[in-house]
Amino acid sequence: MNLQRWLVAAMMMAGAAWAVEPPAPYGPVPNAAQLNWHAGDFIGFLHFTVNTFTDREWGLGDEPESIFNPTEFDADQIVRVAAEAGMKRLILTCKHHDGFCLWPSKFTEHSVKNSPWKNGKGDVVREISDACKKYGLQFGTYLSPWDRNHKDYARPEYLTYYRNQLRELLTNYGPVTEVWFDGANGGDGYYGGARERRKIDNKTYYDWPNTWKIVYELQPLACMFSDGGPEVRWVGNERGIAGDPCWATMNRDNYYPGVGGVNAQLNRGERPGTHWLPAECDVSIRPGWFYHAKEDDRVRTPENLVDLYYKSIGRGANFLLNLPPDRRGKVHENDVKSLQGFRKIIDATFARDLAQGAQAVASHVRGNDARFAAAHVLDGKGDTYWSCDDGVTTPELVLELGKAVTFNVVSLREFLPLGQRVDDWALDRWANGAWVEFASGSAIGPRRLWRGDNITTEKVRLRITKAPVCPAISEFALHLEPDWARKTGPGEQLVRGLTKSNWQVVSSSFEAGRGGAARNAIDDDPKTLWHTHGPKGEQAPPQFIVIDTGKEQEFGGCTYLPRSDGTTRGIVDQYEIFVSADGQVWGAPVAKGEFGNIKANPIQQVVTFAKPAKGRFVKFVGLHSADGNHISVAELGLLAK
Ligand code: FUL
């Protein structure tokens, strides 16, 4: 023990009356439910329902209950896989937008009780929540506010139905620690047979404050997730990537589920912000949220999952990874394999803190009091921290390692009960008798991971370079990600269809000319667009394009790649496809439908034709777009039969 610490300890034992108070909290701080949420930063999502059996991303609401029939449903396997991957909580789609309930709700016939699975005696919510208890995972519910099955959707009566269901889920299945309110809302549906388009006002229809009360009353330790919380916010994309920085605070009253047009704010947060409202990064291990056999070889690689870990948890958000059960009712082998690879890398990296045994020496210690000593950044405890006197806002802390140590990951954490205190920070290494900066950034919050090339040094320094108040830092750790884990996995793989070298655009309903030319839809360049927005303004859907593929052949399907430049304008969410021998006579469409969830998750869409279609010319029609009054196409492709 060094002299300073010895003195402090001696004076404390002597009951010295000068003991200093902890710093006052700065700005909004997390409540108990949020602190519990922060403690389990890796969460699993289970998307499972009729869509698993229809191969859709959004069910229409008219699916017969009879199609829900997993052949070997195994809650134990599902939850064990999640537990072994290191997840601390599992959230189940108890009801997705199609309205089918995975539990025998008293309030509808549209549920497992009318499916052949377990002769109508099954209850997926029961089995998953029980298995969570067995494996020590927390349980969360997803109850879609939008319901394409219910006859009363968009009328006041539906709200009573929705709240009754919420009560059922929060009363009958033990502790629920997260309640997910999805923002997707309103549109075409079955609606008890009406088959029409229904629109609601996202802000007022659900009377959210009174719906939240049910959760506060029945499950006070639950966090509610939505675009606007109130406890946890959407991160603004479904790619698993938080902003850099990603503040844990927001001006919460400006947001509500389905608010729209605010993805950038949700991604970064707002500082100082009126409320503690940290981000959750929801992303699927596969391109879609539901299981589709055709995506079996498009499961994210272990390296890609690790990358997402750093871009979510490493930026202070939580990582919510979807593992969609397949038609058996199990997590598919490919997903299991990838998760195991991911866990192996994370364990190998974080099992050892290479700063252990170092001396932590700070430029300032609050009141020279051992309770705020620099050594607390090394003690592995979340409830101790290093701090400084009020007014000391740019202090430094050096880890003297005593020997050359090699690391490539640094982990920092703030002590959250005192709020998010640090604006900017920098890290230096000691090299040839001088400090050399190797990293800097904004925001620490719940966690900040820096990941870079190997650094070998005997001393590392953390500098707080901008803060409104003195800091409260609870962790400064050094890790080494092993070499074998550092290969960069392939990025998002696109389905490659037939070669387009002989293709021509024969005609299109609109030619925007340079910058938006129809030719861009088949130029094999995902960055260029055909869009129907020109000097004369937006050309509303329907809009079509006709492609000559050069020779008569049989097509098995078609692909549509939406724009990926950050905006969702013109992204097609309803389509029709025709095939013709001569480009004159078209007949009935070979495929027609909806690209479910394309706005929030703008990934390549693959349409498989019900039967192979023979012809030379193909017409793609955008019938409706998710956003804006025109359509846009990054790339169209065709699949061989
Ligand atoms: C979205 C939904 O529309 C998707 O289907 C999925 O459930 C995702 C997690 O949230 O908004």
Side-chain angles (χ1 to χ4, degrees):
M1 192 183 296
N2 65 28
L3 183 64
Q4 190 190 16
R5 287 193 60 199
W6 182 87
L7 257 175
V8 167
M11 289 175 77
M12 282 182 72
M13 272 186 278
W18 48 263
V20 66
E21 290 293 313
Y26 171 75
V29 295
N31 64 21
Q34 290 168 320
L35 285 172
N36 171 48
W37 178 86
H38 282 297
D41 54 14
F42 185 32
I43 308 173
F45 218 163
L46 299 175
H47 274 69
F48 190 44
T49 191
V50 290
N51 298 345
T52 314
F53 302 89
T54 56
D55 240 336
R56 303 181 68 93
E57 278 291 291
W58 280 359
L60 300 171
D62 61 357
E63 294 76 13
E65 292 83 29
S66 58
I67 60 169
F68 184 82
N69 197 10
T71 50
E72 298 166 49
F73 180 73
D74 190 348
D76 202 271
Q77 186 261 2
I78 295 170
V79 179
R80 183 167 29 83
V81 163
E84 285 171 1
M87 292 169 170
K88 300 284 182 259
R89 173 180 297 172
L90 266 180
I91 301 173
L92 172 69
T93 56
C94 303
K95 179 185 92 170
H96 203 253
H97 308 323
D98 54 80
F100 182 77
C101 299
L102 295 187
W103 80 104
S105 170
K106 272 200 310 219
F107 303 98
T108 180
E109 291 304 303
H110 195 49
S111 83
V112 280
K113 75 181 171 206
N114 286 317
S115 81
W117 178 60
K118 299 198 169 174
N119 294 320
K121 300 277 179 284
D123 183 344
V124 179
V125 180
R126 170 80 56 222
E127 292 198 36
I128 293 289
S129 59
D130 281 352
C132 281
K133 288 179 196 117
K134 171 173 168 194
Y135 286 99
L137 266 72
Q138 299 183 5
F139 178 63
T141 58
Y142 171 115
L143 181 70
S144 170
W146 182 21
D147 189 321
R148 300 174 102 177
N149 174 264
H150 202 271
K151 65 177 185 3
D152 289 332
Y153 179 76
R155 305 193 182 112
E157 293 81 354
Y158 172 74
L159 200 54
T160 310
Y161 173 73
Y162 185 74
R163 288 178 177 166
N164 281 337
Q165 292 202 316
L166 192 59
R167 278 206 185 83
E168 268 185 322
L169 290 174
L170 301 185
T171 310
N172 298 336
Y173 297 94
V176 172
T177 57
E178 187 156 341
V179 175
W180 237 76
F181 294 126
D182 198 309
N185 256 306
D188 287 350
Y190 169 73
Y191 304 128
R195 293 191 191 275
E196 58 192 10
R197 200 170 182 86
R198 293 190 182 170
K199 253 182 93 71
I200 51 118
D201 180 337
N202 281 316
K203 189 167 181 184
T204 54
Y205 175 60
Y206 294 98
D207 178 21
W208 284 113
N210 283 310
T211 304
W212 297 343
K213 274 191 194 152
I214 298 172
V215 180
Y216 290 131
E217 175 202 320
L218 298 174
Q219 297 282 350
L221 262 186
C223 280
M224 287 180 264
F225 167 104
S226 83
D227 293 348
E231 281 79 33
V232 173
R233 75 175 197 264
W234 186 41
V235 76
N237 64 59
E238 294 184 356
R239 294 181 300 125
I241 302 181
D244 183 4
C246 176
W247 303 102
T249 49
M250 278 308 265
N251 300 320
R252 189 179 77 187
D253 294 343
N254 297 341
Y255 304 92
Y256 50 86
V259 42
V262 295
N263 292 0
Q265 291 92 310
L266 293 172
N267 196 237
R268 294 174 69 91
E270 291 167 323
R271 179 145 173 95
T274 53
H275 289 82
W276 191 265
L277 191 61
E280 186 167 274
C281 297
D282 60 317
V283 59
S284 184
I285 196 165
R286 289 161 171 257
W289 287 99
F290 288 90
Y291 175 83
H292 309 292
K294 64 182 178 223
E295 292 177 357
D296 279 351
D297 48 14
R298 299 178 71 201
V299 175
R300 289 178 187 274
T301 60
E303 293 76 19
N304 179 267
L305 294 176
V306 170
D307 183 53
L308 293 182
Y309 184 94
Y310 284 93
K311 289 178 173 152
S312 55
I313 291 175
R315 294 177 180 171
N318 275 8
F319 183 15
L320 172 56
L321 179 65
N322 179 58
L323 312 174
D326 59 17
R327 289 186 180 177
R328 293 171 305 175
K330 290 181 167 190
V331 180
H332 189 270
E333 289 72 4
N334 295 2
D335 308 39
V336 173
K337 208 165 146 233
S338 190
L339 279 169
Q340 287 169 341
F342 157 80
R343 192 69 240 166
K344 204 168 139 208
I345 298 174
I346 296 295
D347 284 346
T349 308
F350 293 100
R352 279 190 64 206
D353 172 8
L354 302 164
Q356 287 303 312
Q359 283 285 334
V361 182
S363 60
H364 303 78
V365 170
R366 186 171 183 83
N368 283 329
D369 186 327
R371 286 180 299 157
F372 308 111
H376 290 310
V377 303
L378 296 174
D379 65 10
K381 295 186 191 147
D383 57 353
T384 63
Y385 55 93
W386 159 60
S387 190
C388 306
D389 290 328
D390 291 346
V392 177
T393 57
T394 54
E396 302 170 2
L397 188 154
V398 176
L399 298 179
E400 294 181 354
L401 303 165
K403 57 173 194 288
V405 167
T406 302
F407 62 89
N408 51 26
V409 171
V410 178
S411 175
L412 303 170
R413 297 179 201 253
E414 287 187 77
F415 177 67
L416 300 183
L418 295 182
Q420 185 150 23
R421 307 171 74 86
V422 176
D423 281 311
D424 298 339
W425 51 270
L427 291 166
D428 308 316
R429 68 191 158 92
W430 185 251
N432 305 321
W435 288 113
V436 181
E437 181 177 302
F438 65 88
S440 66
S442 298
I444 297 178
R447 194 159 195 201
R448 174 52 96 137
L449 294 172
W450 170 84
R451 185 193 196 199
D453 291 337
N454 287 6
I455 289 182
T456 302
T457 184
E458 293 182 6
K459 289 201 274 186
V460 201
R461 180 168 74 171
L462 167 65
R463 270 180 295 130
I464 307 301
T465 53
K466 184 172 172 236
V469 285
C470 64
I473 305 291
S474 75
E475 178 174 289
F476 182 5
L478 307 176
H479 300 282
L480 183 65
E481 187 175 50
D483 267 356
W484 55 262
R486 293 213 139 197
K487 56 176 200 274
T488 42
E492 166 77 46
Q493 296 287 306
L494 296 181
V495 171
R496 296 201 60 84
L498 297 165
T499 161
K500 302 177 193 171
S501 40
N502 294 324
W503 293 13
Q504 307 272 347
V505 174
V506 184
S507 62
S508 66
S509 53
F510 184 72
E511 177 52 77
R514 274 184 39 169
R519 169 80 215 162
N520 294 342
I522 55 164
D523 66 354
D524 263 330
D525 180 350
K527 286 197 238 12
T528 60
L529 299 181
W530 169 50
H531 59 70
T532 64
H533 186 181
K536 284 189 269 139
E538 294 187 76
Q539 307 300 311
Q543 297 288 335
F544 71 83
I545 183 169
V546 177
I547 298 161
D548 176 0
T549 67
K551 63 169 196 275
E552 176 142 299
Q553 52 195 314
E554 280 199 283
F555 303 109
C558 166
T559 61
Y560 166 71
L561 184 72
R563 66 196 303 167
S564 58
D565 55 359
T567 124
T568 49
R569 286 187 307 124
I571 288 187
V572 174
D573 62 2
Q574 285 176 13
Y575 65 90
E576 260 178 349
I577 300 159
F578 299 82
V579 173
S580 147
D582 57 6
Q584 307 296 322
V585 181
W586 290 99
V590 295
K592 176 180 167 105
E594 160 182 281
F595 296 135
N597 198 34
I598 194 169
K599 186 172 168 185
N601 190 21
I603 55 169
Q604 186 189 41
Q605 307 288 313
V606 181
V607 177
T608 311
F609 300 154
K611 53 180 200 295
K614 197 165 174 189
R616 167 172 168 172
F617 297 84
V618 176
K619 187 198 288 191
F620 175 88
V621 188
L623 292 174
H624 185 266
S625 69
D627 204 357
N629 206 18
H630 63 279
I631 75 158
S632 60
V633 175
E635 208 59 30
L636 290 172
L638 289 162
L639 307 176
K641 76 159 192 180

